[in-house]
Amino acid sequence: MGKTRSAPTLNDVAKAAGVSTATVSRCLNSPERVVESTRKRVMQAVESLGYTPNFAARVMAANRSFTIGAIIPTMDNAIFARGLQEFQDQLRESGYTLLVSSSAYDPEVEREQIRTLVARGADGLLLIGYARDAEIYNYLEQHQIPSLVAWSYDPRVQRPSVGFSNTAAMGELARKVILTGHRQIAMISGKTKGNDRAQSRVEGVRLAMTENSLDPDTLTLIETTYEIEKGAEALRKLMNLSPRPTVVICGNDVLAAGALREARNLGIQVPEQLSITGFDDIELAEIVSPSLTTVHVPHREMGRKAAQELVEMVEGRSEGRSVCIDTRMVVRHSLAGPPDLP
Amino acid sequence: MGKTRSAPTLNDVAKAAGVSTATVSRCLNSPERVVESTRKRVMQAVESLGYTPNFAARVMAANRSFTIGAIIPTMDNAIFARGLQEFQDQLRESGYTLLVSSSAYDPEVEREQIRTLVARGADGLLLIGYARDAEIYNYLEQHQIPSLVAWSYDPRVQRPSVGFSNTAAMGELARKVILTGHRQIAMISGKTKGNDRAQSRVEGVRLAMTENSLDPDTLTLIETTYEIEKGAEALRKLMNLSPRPTVVICGNDVLAAGALREARNLGIQVPEQLSITGFDDIELAEIVSPSLTTVHVPHREMGRKAAQELVEMVEGRSEGRSVCIDTRMVVRHSLAGPPDLP
DNA sequence: TTGTATGCGTTATCAG
DNA sequence: CTGATAACGCATACAA
């Protein structure tokens, strides 16, 4: 167990290069402010010592952490993974590191994680959806932490966001469903409480019904957590109803996949006897059989744009703009006309 | 734009409570070392000021960050998500925060991310698989950063790991495949270069063949990246071979799902005309149709145990133990006997 | 049990 | 263009 030298510091580099720590620091942070000759010498020392700046010290001195925090509802399925991956890659390019937490859709947990992230000096925060206590937003404002909402976009809300209109997107799908001839409509939604995406998607369906002279109150709605099992469970319940729905609109692809699986187990032909639709267009949607008619959300684009905007905000170049991402319906095989269209 | 007060510091709390900063610090870190009465007073001040310790300062002073880093190959599919979620939850219970990066299966990127994580003061690192340059391990040792390997377990390697034997797990599956009557065996593997999990899985198949008097050199092997599309592509190539394989063993469920989809597109009946197997048993495996025969990996258990062990290591209570997690084969519908078994 | 004083590694300000 | 030096907020050894 020999004595191990610990990480070299600015001081070590300075000594090795025969300059002051200030100069070394400058070489690293604003190289143009130091002459070629000394810079070269310094960089060589940095290289040969394998120097890496101490992050905590840097944060303390500069009062910036080059860290962006993100709190997502779950890491458990692909829905957020893809967008976040792109978000992270884009951040990295701008010199930031991403710190992710997942809240398990629990507002209390989210609150705590936001505090942790702020305590860790996050320069900015990415939040999913608008819906959360005003207290949290106040807290962020007090601490001067720029925050950006993603996955939702609503022009009525005065808060920077990079997302899409869940209402409009689901509305388009529902209109298509109705146009296809369905009248007995059921929906398996995620829990709407504290989840504006889920709420808006339900609203989208209701709006489409109203527009087409269907009573939105006749929508059979089941709320559940976003798990495959739950989607299956919900479908089972729906199939015991009479009259049976001819179409089940699901709040996302995961629920739809569960519903699809259960339909198969029950010996119900999709789409001949029952239509099922999803939302998100994760890879799953194309793999299940029959493939899912769903709404495509450009997650990567959203992640990239969110990163760009948040960095602008953090660096004081933007007060917080909002970006609306376009979604589009993807028609595949799980949607067809109702079984006994006269 | 009013002047916003910035976060309260230890000093503020100390003043408010009428004690020294040292006492406040103690109240927070080792409450038992301060009398009830003062502690109560201090805690009250902490509460009312909404004090949260400044993370960077804490790291600098204590020379510990309560941060664990993890570098995973990809966040893009469910394979690592589930285990990591549990890893994170368990860490949180022990008071640690998780910092995740993904390397996109690129050793160079991984190297850089490890350095970043270390510079950020990570107390310990979780790495996926053993295979990486000795230089990296040396670097970690030099910096005294405990590291734990996950997703792989090999008793021959002297390095703490919490994982499973990829060879044995895939071997079991391959034995089953052979026992079912298959002789024309093909495999779609992930890129084996720098990926010991992929390597071991191929090895597992070869071992099983050898054990059953099949020449392992007759294994048709395609290596590709872990994407659905690539699985599909590979299957297409395999189906043009003659003689055609009667079974395609895939390196993971994602590749298998792609292969399955392509088989369907080509009008090939699975499992009647072709058997396909996966690995990992992510949710996908049960959802696709036919459902996948695969190897179940208890990702959550692995994540939890990895967190426990790594914390022990970081806190100096363990020199680094290894834990072998049990996998089990899951037989579903995608595997059957070869089409023209005499 | 509590307070004092010092150091952690950078950045940034201000002279030179 | 470069060098001293003062913060930054906290933990801890040491003193009281």
Side-chain angles (χ1 to χ4, degrees), chain B residues 71-77 79-80 102-110 113 128 190-191 193-195 197-198 201 225-227 252 280:
Chain B
I71 296 104
I72 58 175
T74 178
M75 279 170 41
D76 225 43
N77 64 53
I79 292 178
F80 298 106
S102 64
S103 65
Y105 286 97
D106 181 335
E108 205 42 54
V109 175
E110 191 197 40
Q113 292 182 335
I128 306 299
K191 299 273 187 193
K193 189 178 171 193
N195 183 335
R197 285 99 58 220
R201 291 177 196 178
T225 53
Y226 287 120
E227 294 158 63
N252 74 10
D280 281 334

Side-chain angles (χ1 to χ4, degrees), chain B residues 54-122:
Chain B
N54 176 298
F55 177 70
R58 196 173 180 165
V59 170
M60 274 205 66
N63 203 30
R64 294 190 51 192
S65 70
F66 295 94
T67 296
I68 298 288
I71 296 104
I72 58 175
T74 178
M75 279 170 41
D76 225 43
N77 64 53
I79 292 178
F80 298 106
R82 186 146 302 187
L84 218 65
Q85 172 75 60
E86 191 73 22
F87 184 71
Q88 179 178 30
D89 291 349
Q90 186 67 39
L91 284 183
R92 187 186 314 285
E93 275 186 32
S94 309
Y96 287 80
T97 299
L98 176 63
L99 206 48
V100 203
S101 298
S102 64
S103 65
Y105 286 97
D106 181 335
E108 205 42 54
V109 175
E110 191 197 40
R111 211 178 58 84
E112 188 207 326
Q113 292 182 335
I114 289 176
R115 286 186 175 272
T116 303
L117 253 16
V118 170
R120 294 207 158 220

